[in-house]
């Protein structure tokens, strides 16, 4: 009887205490409080850089606001009352801020996934489009890519790398899309054959500061980290035109914010522009020689590109700066908005208190995270745009290098000089208020995201090993620090 | 009962039909087709490689081809055999060599490690001294540089000093992170113009000492030494920047047609007659490796004479981007 009782007590202890030990450290979750740590910022009104907030140079604030407004514009195919036409014929969503909105416009995936609601919201026709199974109402907004083209028998052809974006939806069936009839890609086939990967939106807070770091500073940082004892190498992705260091996107494949905007406008929303001047077919449609059917071309009726510089803007405001800003094409306006968008401000006390965050910061440095996630790079380059961008510390927690991340994270998509397993060190500023982590948004748990850094072929395996060597309270400090960013 | 079962089957069929109609968009778009028997891609496999390592033959050992089997790490290139504690293992292999010549040779840890309980780890690395970004020409200089530029997050426990491990000379350097309560001990020697380093990390200094004691079971080539490991004997002699001046008698430059902008570090072995015998790309795209290989087979060198006899030479050449000047740590721009 005593033995039975003892066993019962042990079982109860095991049931309650063991999980408590296992979960002794946990992701504190999205940090509450001020958006981006900025007083005055709201979900729809993120703050610009300090000098822009002071309207220095004159007009910059107007350009920022103009870009912010356009970033929120809802695009139609052809009959927009506000003239925002050109959507499609294929697209992922109809609004930049639909995907870039956590914790405010300019951020990453929101809690509520608008891609999942496109039929319910009337953005696409439910008779011609279905919601891919990898989307969910509270999951990350995603774009999909097929690493390889398919053979005629439906098997992925590993001799034919693809990797281009397979837009989720088509305009077919919309009342403003004429007779354009296009199918969605067969995402179910791609999933059955493991020939599909996902990407979530990268936040663009502080993007202008990253854009303005001179290459020599990045190269010097690379050399300075070369004698690390953590097994970390790293290299840079380069722009194919001028050979300088590219820096935007999950694989640092894009050189500049204008390029980044132009590509996204064309690829994610199907809007041709002055950088990417044609409507974009799927990778297979283009390379198999068929392209888009004529019934799906020039749906806006405006000719190409659909987004252009406004030579003669009609602006009701008498403000000359407002008139000037309205001259920009959308992609330039988006780039101006992102360039002048302020970086997040970390909290010194939340979560976990100042001591925990301070310890976490020191641990972050000590165990090797900071070798790639370089806390601050001091840009030495002056800015011709606004003073806050020039010769400024860039606390992005990134070396802007691409690193091998191993078999666990590889997506088998090559972009520029980056191979299938190489990714840009993701900037961590603003991490505290992000919901989804890693390139495909596979987790909302910061602890899981850290653990994913370890796999065969990853440069971060030893650092993750060092993380495992920390005590639970030290790990908690590090998690608190990351959520303070 | 049978009727019920049939009813369920009908319902199931109807449900499946509904599901199918939900996915009912045409499947014949661009680059896809539908086939339930289609071949699946393997998961967790790197199929699309960027710049990667490769070699002109598969028989000649390379630095990155060392293996852990049972509890022994064997690296034929470095002539290294290291038998570690039987309850330690390698769970994850390392990344490919970097384009600055940095190798992760092995990552060893206790086999029973679970999250949050790691007792320690042994990281074995090599830095090719022909391509390092650090201003160091020997393993000793590399460790000294690391020591001199140690971040303020650490405290030196033992400054670099020569020690004997397995009958060979190593430089030993120990430091600690007070906040992490983690200790690091680096044991470095030089083999074939590479700084080979064993980095032992643990919260327990006695565990580190035990690991170091066990390293006495290691076997190394005779020339392993922190300042002068240059190969020789039955191996090629390694010489930095041998491909210069009158050493080269015939040279056909490769024509790299694609602008990649990446460094392409290459180690070659020149035979006693002055012909290229072996080519190892530390990092190159396949088309770069092919073009450079075709060119290098045509190069000819003056035989290298050592003690009156021609010997094989191992040296490094950088294609693609010119080698970057090393940056002294004093100009470090990353701050915290």
């Amino acid at each position: 009887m005593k033995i039975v009782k003892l066993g019962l007590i042990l079982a109860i202890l095991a049931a309650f205490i063991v999980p408590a030990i296992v979960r002794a450290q946990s992701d504190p979750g999205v940090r509450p409080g001020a958006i981006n740590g900025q007083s005055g910022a709201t979900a729809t009104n993120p703050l610009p850089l300090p000098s822009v907030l002071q309207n220095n140079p004159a007009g910059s604030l107007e350009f920022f606001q103009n870009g912010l407004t356009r970033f929120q514009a809802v695009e139609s195919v052809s009959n927009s009352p506000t003239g925002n036409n050109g959507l499609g014929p294929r697209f992922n969503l109809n609004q930049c801020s639909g995907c870039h909105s956590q914790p405010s416009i300019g951020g990453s995936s929101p809690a509520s996934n608008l891609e999942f609601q496109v039929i319910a919201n009337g953005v696409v026709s439910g008779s011609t489009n279905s919601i891919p199974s990898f989307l969910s109402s509270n999951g990350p907004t995603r774009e999909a890519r097929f690493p390889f083209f398919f053979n005629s028998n439906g098997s992925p052809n590993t001799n034919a790398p693809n990797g281009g974006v397979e837009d989720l939806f088509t305009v077919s069936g919309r009342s403003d899309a004429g007779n354009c009839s296009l199918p969605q890609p067969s995402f179910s086939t791609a999933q059955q054959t493991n020939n599909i990967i996902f990407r979530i939106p990268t936040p663009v807070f502080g993007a202008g500061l990253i854009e303005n770091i001179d290459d020599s500073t990045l190269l010097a940082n690379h050399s300075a980290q070369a004698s690390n004892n953590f097994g970390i190498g790293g290299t840079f992705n380069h722009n194919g035109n001028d050979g300088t260091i590219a820096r935007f996107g999950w694989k640092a494949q894009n050189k500049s914010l204008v390029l980044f905007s132009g590509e996204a406008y064309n690829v994610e929303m199907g809007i041709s522009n002055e950088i990417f001047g044609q409507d974009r077919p799927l990778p297979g449609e283009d390379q198999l020689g068929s392209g888009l059917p004529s019934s799906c071309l020039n749906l806006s009726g405006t000719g190409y590109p659909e987004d252009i510089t406004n030579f003669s803007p009609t602006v009701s405001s008498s403000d000359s700066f407002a008139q000037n800003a309205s001259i920009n094409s959308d992609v330039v306006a988006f780039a101006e908005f992102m360039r002048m968008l302020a970086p997040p401000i970390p909290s010194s006390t939340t979560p976990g208190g100042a001591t925990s965050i301070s310890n976490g910061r020191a641990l972050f440095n000590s165990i090797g995270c900071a070798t790639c996630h370089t806390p601050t790079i001091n840009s030495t380059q002056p800015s011709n745009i606004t003073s806050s961008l020039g010769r400024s510390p860039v606390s992005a927690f990134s070396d802007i290098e691409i690193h091998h991340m191993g078999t666990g994270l590889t997506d088998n998509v090559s972009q520029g000089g980056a191979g299938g397993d190489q990714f840009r060190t993701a900037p961590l500023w603003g991490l505290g208020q992000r919901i989804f982590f890693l390139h495909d948004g596979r987790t909302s748990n910061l602890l899981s995201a850290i653990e994913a850094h370890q796999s065969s072929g990853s440069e971060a395996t030893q650092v993750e090993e060092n993380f495992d060597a920390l005590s639970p309270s030290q790990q908690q400090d590090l998690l608190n620090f990351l959520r303070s960013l | 009962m049978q009727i019920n079962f049939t009813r369920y089957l009908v319902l199931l069929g109807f449900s499946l039909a509904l599901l199918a109609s939900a996915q009912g968009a045409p499947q014949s778009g661009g680059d896809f087709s539908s086939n339930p028997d289609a071949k699946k891609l393997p998961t967790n496999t790197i199929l699309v490689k960027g710049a990667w390592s490769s070699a002109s033959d598969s028989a000649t050992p390379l630095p990155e081809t060392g293996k852990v089997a049972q509890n022994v790490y064997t690296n034929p290139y470095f002539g290294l055999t290291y038998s570690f504690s039987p309850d330690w293992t390698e769970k994850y292999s390392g990344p490919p060599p970097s384009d600055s010549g940095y190798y992760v040779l092995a990552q060893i840890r206790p086999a029973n490690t679970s999250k949050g309980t790691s007792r320690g780890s042994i990281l074995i690395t090599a830095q090719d001294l022909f391509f390092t970004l650090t201003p160091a020409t020997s393993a000793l200089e590399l460790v000294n540089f690391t020591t001199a530029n140690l971040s303020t997050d650490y405290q030196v426990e033992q400054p670099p000093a020569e020690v004997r491990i397995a009958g060979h000379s190593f430089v030993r350097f120990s430091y600690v992170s007070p906040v992490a309560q983690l200790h690091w001990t680096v044991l470095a020697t030089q083999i074939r113009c590479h700084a080979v380093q064993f980095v032992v990390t643990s919260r327990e200094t006695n565990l580190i000492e035990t690991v170091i004691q066990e390293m006495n079971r290691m076997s190394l080539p005779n020339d392993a030494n922190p300042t002068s490991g240059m190969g020789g004997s039955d191996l090629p002699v390694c010489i930095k920047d041998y491909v210069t001046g009158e050493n080269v008698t015939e040279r056909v430059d490769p024509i790299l047609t694609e602008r990649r902008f990446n460094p392409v570090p290459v180690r070659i072995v020149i035979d006693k007659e002055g012909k290229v015998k072996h080519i190892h790309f530390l990092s190159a795209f396949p088309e770069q490796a092919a073009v450079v290989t075709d060119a290098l087979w045509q190069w000819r060198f003056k035989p290298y004479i050592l003690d009156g006899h021609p010997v094989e030479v191992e040296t490094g050449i950088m294609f693609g981007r010119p080698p970057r000047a090393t940056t002294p740590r004093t100009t470090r721009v990353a701050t915290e």
Side-chain angles (χ1 to χ4, degrees):
Chain A
M1 189 65 177
K2 278 184 180 173
I3 292 173
V4 173
K5 275 187 178 172
L6 183 63
L8 187 64
I9 291 167
L10 282 175
I12 291 169
L13 283 173
F16 287 96
I17 294 176
V18 170
I21 292 171
V22 169
R23 295 174 190 147
Q25 65 286 352
S26 63
D27 179 3
V30 175
R31 191 181 75 240
I35 286 175
N36 281 332
Q38 298 159 339
S39 174
T42 69
T44 52
N45 280 298
L47 294 187
L49 294 161
S51 59
V52 175
L53 194 60
Q54 295 163 9
N55 199 26
N56 179 19
S60 58
L61 186 57
E62 189 69 52
F63 275 67
F64 173 79
Q65 292 295 347
N66 181 284
L68 171 60
T69 301
R70 296 204 216 184
F71 205 78
Q72 298 171 82
V74 174
E75 303 292 336
S76 296
V77 180
S78 65
N79 63 358
S80 165
T82 52
N84 293 312
N85 291 319
L87 182 72
R90 297 180 183 277
F91 64 99
N92 287 324
L93 205 56
N94 59 345
Q95 186 184 27
C96 302
S97 61
C99 297
H100 292 275
S101 60
Q102 172 65 28
S104 73
I105 292 170
S108 187
S109 270
S112 179
N113 184 3
L114 287 177
E115 286 178 332
F116 188 75
Q117 299 165 26
V118 288
I119 295 175
N121 290 343
V123 178
V124 304
S125 165
S127 61
T128 52
N129 286 266
S130 58
I131 305 296
S133 62
F134 50 80
L135 298 181
S136 61
S137 62
N138 56 359
T141 53
R142 283 174 155 164
E143 65 167 31
R145 295 169 186 253
F146 301 162
F148 299 98
F149 288 107
F150 287 91
N151 288 326
S152 56
N153 69 0
S155 298
N157 179 353
T158 52
N159 292 320
N162 175 356
V165 173
E166 305 283 339
D167 287 299
L168 306 182
F169 307 111
T170 81
V171 299
S172 303
R174 276 179 62 122
S175 60
D176 60 353
N179 296 321
C180 174
S181 176
L182 287 172
Q184 289 171 282
S186 179
F187 295 115
S188 55
T189 300
Q191 285 181 288
Q192 284 163 18
T193 54
N194 299 327
N195 190 25
I196 188 168
I197 65 94
F198 308 111
R199 300 268 179 88
I200 66 170
T202 53
V204 295
F205 303 117
L209 289 162
I210 291 175
E211 189 179 48
N212 198 51
I213 302 171
D214 50 307
D215 284 14
S216 58
T217 298
L218 295 172
L219 292 165
N221 182 56
H222 179 55
S223 294
Q225 307 295 347
S227 59
N228 73 83
N229 284 325
F230 302 115
I232 294 167
T235 190
F236 292 100
N237 206 344
H238 294 95
N239 176 262
N241 290 316
D242 65 358
T244 56
I245 294 172
R247 50 197 73 196
F248 296 108
W250 283 105
K251 303 216 172 195
Q253 71 272 20
N254 278 326
K255 169 67 187 168
S256 71
L257 290 170
V258 173
L259 187 62
F260 189 63
S261 299
E263 187 197 1
Y265 216 24
N266 187 237
V267 172
E268 310 293 345
M269 295 168 73
I271 297 176
S272 56
N273 53 71
E274 289 168 334
I275 303 179
F276 295 89
Q278 283 75 40
D279 271 326
R280 176 182 177 270
L282 293 180
E285 288 170 331
D286 195 27
Q287 296 181 18
L288 293 175
S290 53
L292 287 165
S294 58
S295 60
C296 294
L297 296 175
N298 193 25
L299 292 174
S300 65
T302 60
Y304 290 99
E306 289 149 330
D307 168 43
I308 58 169
T309 304
N310 303 305
F311 302 121
S312 304
T314 51
V315 181
S316 56
S317 169
S318 59
D319 182 344
S320 63
F321 294 127
Q323 294 184 20
N324 291 345
S326 64
I327 291 171
N328 277 341
S329 64
D330 285 349
V331 293
V332 172
F334 298 153
E336 295 282 17
F337 162 66
M338 294 190 286
R339 189 175 290 127
M340 294 189 274
L341 192 56
I345 298 173
S347 169
S348 59
T349 56
T350 306
T355 303
S356 174
I357 290 170
S358 175
N359 280 344
R361 176 179 283 267
L363 290 164
F364 181 87
N365 295 338
S366 295
I367 67 170
C369 307
T371 306
C372 301
H373 291 286
T374 309
T376 299
I377 289 177
N378 290 319
S379 173
T380 56
Q381 185 168 286
S383 171
N384 196 23
I385 296 172
T386 185
S387 59
S388 289
L389 288 176
R391 303 189 196 281
S392 298
V394 184
S395 298
F397 290 86
S398 174
D399 55 10
I400 317 295
E401 295 173 30
I402 51 174
H403 294 273
H404 294 281
M405 295 310 297
T407 54
L409 286 173
T410 184
D411 69 0
N412 285 317
V413 171
S414 172
Q415 292 182 279
D421 64 326
Q422 288 171 291
F423 290 88
R424 178 185 70 156
T425 304
L428 299 183
W429 53 11
L431 183 76
Q433 295 186 322
R434 279 181 223 162
I435 297 172
F436 302 102
F437 301 119
L438 303 174
H439 63 278
D440 51 9
R442 66 179 67 179
T443 182
S444 293
N445 186 328
L446 195 50
L447 201 53
S448 301
I450 292 170
E451 288 166 357
H453 283 60
Q454 188 175 54
S455 66
S456 282
S458 171
E459 294 177 31
T461 292
Q462 181 60 44
V463 172
E464 212 284 332
E465 188 72 27
N466 293 344
F467 177 78
D468 287 346
L470 298 178
S471 70
S473 68
Q474 289 174 320
Q475 291 187 356
Q476 188 63 57
D477 287 343
L478 207 153
L479 291 166
N480 288 343
F481 162 66
L482 290 172
R483 280 298 193 180
S484 78
L485 297 176
Chain B
M1 189 70 177
Q2 232 176 3
I3 293 170
N4 274 345
F5 181 67
T6 310
R7 194 177 291 163
Y8 284 135
L9 275 182
V10 170
L11 273 173
L12 182 64
F14 183 64
S15 304
L16 287 174
L18 274 179
L19 275 176
S21 69
Q23 297 286 327
Q27 305 284 305
S28 58
D31 60 327
F32 35 77
S33 67
S34 193
N35 174 7
D37 300 321
K39 193 177 164 189
K40 289 186 176 184
L41 291 176
T43 56
N44 295 329
T45 307
I46 302 168
L47 299 169
V48 177
K49 294 178 177 175
W52 208 268
S53 60
S54 61
S56 57
D57 67 84
S58 57
T60 308
L62 306 171
E64 66 267 33
T65 51
K67 293 275 184 234
V68 172
Q70 304 297 331
N71 62 316
V72 180
Y73 173 68
T74 307
N75 190 309
Y77 177 86
F78 289 118
L80 175 67
T81 304
Y82 168 39
S83 174
F84 50 85
S85 179
D87 54 352
W88 288 50
T89 188
E90 182 182 57
K91 187 171 180 183
Y92 301 113
S93 56
S98 80
D99 57 24
S100 56
Y102 184 61
Y103 296 82
V104 174
L105 302 178
Q107 301 168 111
I108 301 163
R109 63 180 189 171
N112 61 356
T113 295
S114 58
K115 295 300 170 195
T117 63
S118 175
R119 289 188 61 209
S121 59
I122 306 165
L123 171 69
I124 309 176
T125 67
Q127 174 61 58
D128 189 325
L129 293 166
F130 294 160
F131 303 114
T132 179
L133 297 173
T134 303
T137 59
S138 69
L140 177 62
E141 287 183 13
L142 190 68
V143 173
N144 284 338
F145 180 85
T146 304
T147 312
N149 293 281
L150 198 66
S151 154
T152 53
D153 296 301
Y154 308 105
Q155 291 175 3
V156 173
E157 292 187 303
Q158 288 181 30
E162 186 177 340
V163 294
R164 301 288 291 179
I165 303 283
H168 293 271
S169 176
F170 278 73
V171 56
R172 173 180 171 151
F173 167 48
S174 299
Y175 55 99
V176 62
S177 160
V179 65
Q181 298 167 299
L182 279 174
H183 301 264
W184 280 264
T185 289
V186 179
L187 291 160
T189 192
Q190 186 174 314
I191 306 172
R192 298 180 75 169
C193 298
H194 293 79
V196 177
Q197 299 194 87
F198 294 76
V199 183
V200 190
T201 310
S202 178
R203 302 172 79 88
E204 307 164 32
T205 51
N206 57 348
L207 178 70
I208 291 176
E209 293 307 323
T210 301
V211 168
I212 292 171
Q213 282 301 314
E214 289 173 350
M215 283 182 180
N216 280 309
R217 298 199 295 259
M218 186 159 49
S219 66
L220 294 153
N222 290 334
D223 74 308
N225 184 284
T227 56
S228 60
M230 293 180 60
S233 186
D234 55 342
L235 293 171
V237 176
C238 56
I239 302 173
K240 187 175 184 180
D241 297 331
Y242 186 74
V243 185
T244 51
E246 58 186 25
N247 288 336
V248 187
T249 57
E250 286 182 53
R251 175 180 179 130
V252 177
D253 283 323
I255 299 173
L256 295 166
T257 53
E258 194 153 350
R259 301 171 72 209
R260 289 286 202 175
F261 305 106
N262 60 307
V264 181
V266 186
R267 271 213 175 204
I268 60 171
V269 176
I270 302 163
D271 69 14
K272 295 174 184 174
E273 294 166 357
K275 295 178 184 170
V276 175
K277 178 184 176 184
H278 172 71
I279 304 165
H280 174 212
F281 294 89
L282 282 69
S283 176
F285 289 94
E287 78 275 5
Q288 293 174 325
V291 170
V292 172
T293 298
D294 285 347
L296 283 173
W297 287 138
Q298 301 174 65
W299 291 26
R300 296 292 180 270
F301 299 86
K302 270 175 58 180
Y304 184 69
I305 307 298
L306 185 67
D307 298 330
H309 302 285
V311 297
E312 292 185 345
V313 173
E314 183 174 19
T315 191
I317 317 170
M318 183 68 88
F319 292 95
R321 285 205 152 185
R324 288 216 318 265
T326 53
T327 308
R329 192 66 157 255
T330 48
T331 64
R332 181 175 179 163
V333 289
T335 59
E336 168 60 351

